[in-house]
Amino acid sequence: MTDGSHESHEHVPSRQRRRFPGISSRAYEHPADRSALVALRKLSGFDTVFKALSGLLPERSLRLLFLSDSVRVSDAQFAHLNDMLRDACYILDLEKVPPMYVNQDPQPNAMCIGLDEPIIVVTTGLVELLDEEEMRAVVGHEVGHALSGHAVYRTILLFLTNLALKVAWIPLGNVAIMAIVTALREWFRKSELSADRAGLLVGQDLQASMRGLMKIAGGNHLHEMNVDAFLAQADEYEKAGDLRDSVLKILNVLPRSHPFTTVRAAELKKWSETRDYQRIMDGHYPRRDEDKDTSVTDAFKESASHYADSVRSSKDPLMKLVGDIAGGAGDLGGKLRDKFTGAGGSGGKGAGTAQDGPTDGSQQSPGPGDPEGPAAPGTAGS
């Protein structure tokens, strides 16, 4: 980092935390999020297209709105948040500290938006809800969005969502826009899991991250809540019910830009126990100067592998059915091939096996399913 950037990180909080010089956002990104971002970064002219779109997007208007009607965080205003912001940027080695605003809104929320330069907005409801360590995780969450470049796509999502409302009276136009919005929301839900991980890397306090998510779900009644019981809810949500409940889960999550809070907590705890997380904490992680050499194919393979593992390990009834069908389909295909090619023979045990094999598999019919299983919102949003 330059001398000027070191000056911007003065007055950081006193507690010592590990720092990750040159860390690439690939280190903490969810596989589905990472594969999409790697592909977008590799597209020739992608930045140019979005620069051209910036004239259509209300980014300048948003900046003026927050500047005129919110409080900008600085050494003179919300100094404790300013220290957290500088600290988060220092830990993740984000050279340019994004502007942060506090907006009067009782709803706990936060977001990172902007095409040219990201800005971070937190609501008064969030500031009043969380303690210092919980808030540090949220600030780290938003800085993670900035480092990953999520702010650009978040801004596009906001714009298209508003546009869909304006053209709702045009049936085909609204359907086309909502198809894009639905796809963006699915990606953005995964990006929230990425940002949760960034928040943990910044705060380096898993319990604080858990408490923050729990408070966002249940309010400022910490003495009435329990992290272990909260995580148990996520487990019950994933495995409870039958196929009807599985379909309802999918329908419930489709209109959301964030995953459900209990599932976010469970996903973050699961990641904190992985070797990947420990390697980052030990100083072994991808560097951003290597991003240009990242293979799109490898990123998609990793994402596909993650989805397959999620289906296999999921306790959700529909995901288990999908896994059973997928496993049975391979066996069924082999037996059908043997039958039609005569490899199994025309009589005896081989023929009987070829005829009997499909019977079990054919009793089950596949249903629709989200290959990821439950996912869940950015910390207080974003």
Side-chain angles (χ1 to χ4, degrees):
M1 298 176 62
T2 63
D3 292 340
S5 63
H6 278 303
E7 291 175 1
S8 68
H9 294 303
E10 290 176 354
H11 312 301
V12 297
S14 58
R15 182 161 79 83
Q16 285 294 110
R17 294 175 181 80
R18 292 179 178 87
R19 183 172 175 254
F20 310 103
I23 189 172
S24 168
S25 58
R26 291 181 292 116
Y28 58 80
E29 283 163 354
H30 185 280
D33 175 26
R34 187 187 311 132
S35 62
L37 290 175
V38 168
L40 289 172
R41 289 164 186 157
K42 290 285 185 178
L43 285 179
S44 177
F46 178 77
D47 290 340
T48 304
V49 171
F50 273 100
K51 295 291 184 182
L53 274 176
S54 64
L56 302 174
L57 300 177
E59 180 185 15
R60 189 179 298 273
S61 174
L62 285 173
R63 289 180 181 277
L64 290 173
L65 178 63
F66 289 121
L67 185 64
S68 63
D69 205 31
S70 300
V71 175
R72 183 162 60 189
V73 171
S74 66
D75 285 333
Q77 302 186 117
F78 289 100
H80 73 292
L81 293 181
N82 199 39
D83 285 344
M84 291 181 193
L85 177 61
R86 287 170 169 169
D87 193 39
C89 292
Y90 181 71
I91 288 172
L92 294 180
D93 200 10
L94 184 64
E95 186 167 344
K96 188 167 185 179
V97 180
M100 177 187 279
Y101 294 89
V102 176
N103 184 45
Q104 170 62 22
D105 186 344
Q107 181 71 28
N109 199 11
M111 62 180 175
C112 181
I113 57 174
L115 287 176
D116 294 319
E117 295 182 3
I119 63 173
I120 295 172
V121 181
V122 297
T123 65
T124 51
L126 185 66
V127 174
E128 293 164 5
L129 177 66
L130 304 182
D131 67 25
E132 180 177 343
E133 292 303 311
E134 296 157 4
M135 191 68 196
R136 192 184 305 283
V138 171
V139 173
H141 174 110
E142 301 306 326
V143 170
H145 276 313
L147 181 58
S148 287
H150 291 155
V152 171
Y153 316 114
R154 168 74 170 186
T155 306
I156 296 293
L157 177 59
L158 289 173
F159 171 72
L160 289 177
T161 302
N162 291 333
L163 182 62
L165 294 175
K166 293 178 182 178
V167 300
W169 59 277
I170 309 176
L172 292 180
N174 186 50
V175 168
I177 292 173
M178 286 311 298
I180 300 173
V181 168
T182 299
L184 275 173
R185 280 176 177 161
E186 166 59 16
W187 160 75
F188 201 80
R189 285 191 291 270
K190 300 304 183 293
S191 77
E192 287 302 309
L193 302 180
S194 299
D196 282 345
R197 297 173 179 184
L200 179 58
L201 291 177
V202 167
Q204 298 174 23
D205 185 340
L206 179 62
Q207 287 303 307
S209 293
M210 295 291 103
R211 291 197 312 270
L213 289 167
M214 191 167 60
K215 282 185 176 180
I216 290 167
N220 194 16
H221 303 280
L222 197 58
H223 62 289
E224 297 283 357
M225 297 184 285
N226 178 278
V227 170
D228 292 335
F230 187 65
L231 291 170
Q233 288 181 226
D235 186 61
E236 181 180 347
Y237 169 81
E238 183 180 5
K239 67 183 181 183
D242 54 23
L243 294 180
R244 292 169 297 179
D245 295 294
S246 298
V247 174
L248 289 174
K249 292 176 191 176
I250 295 171
L251 295 177
N252 284 341
V253 81
L254 279 178
R256 297 175 62 94
S257 63
H258 290 65
F260 292 115
T261 319
T262 56
V263 185
R264 283 176 61 192
E267 286 283 339
L268 184 60
K269 185 174 186 296
K270 187 188 304 180
W271 184 71
S272 73
E273 296 168 348
T274 63
R275 178 170 173 75
D276 287 342
Y277 172 72
Q278 191 55 56
R279 282 181 58 81
I280 294 173
M281 297 305 292
D282 290 340
H284 305 292
Y285 49 81
R287 293 331 202 244
R288 67 189 67 153
D289 57 10
E290 303 166 349
D291 284 349
K292 62 182 182 300
D293 301 321
T294 304
S295 167
V296 177
T297 302
D298 290 345
F300 275 109
K301 284 181 179 178
E302 184 177 358
S303 179
S305 175
H306 172 80
Y307 277 117
D309 290 342
S310 297
V311 170
R312 283 193 295 269
S313 62
S314 177
K315 301 172 185 175
D316 179 81
L318 181 56
M319 291 302 100
K320 290 173 70 174
L321 176 60
V322 169
D324 291 343
I325 291 173
D331 185 47
L332 174 61
K335 291 175 179 177
L336 287 175
R337 182 185 64 246
D338 289 345
K339 182 175 181 179
F340 283 105
T341 60
S346 58
K349 187 175 180 179
T353 303
Q355 291 175 347
D356 295 342
T359 304
D360 293 338
S362 63
Q363 290 175 349
Q364 297 179 347
S365 57
D370 175 359
E372 171 66 9
T379 324
S382 188

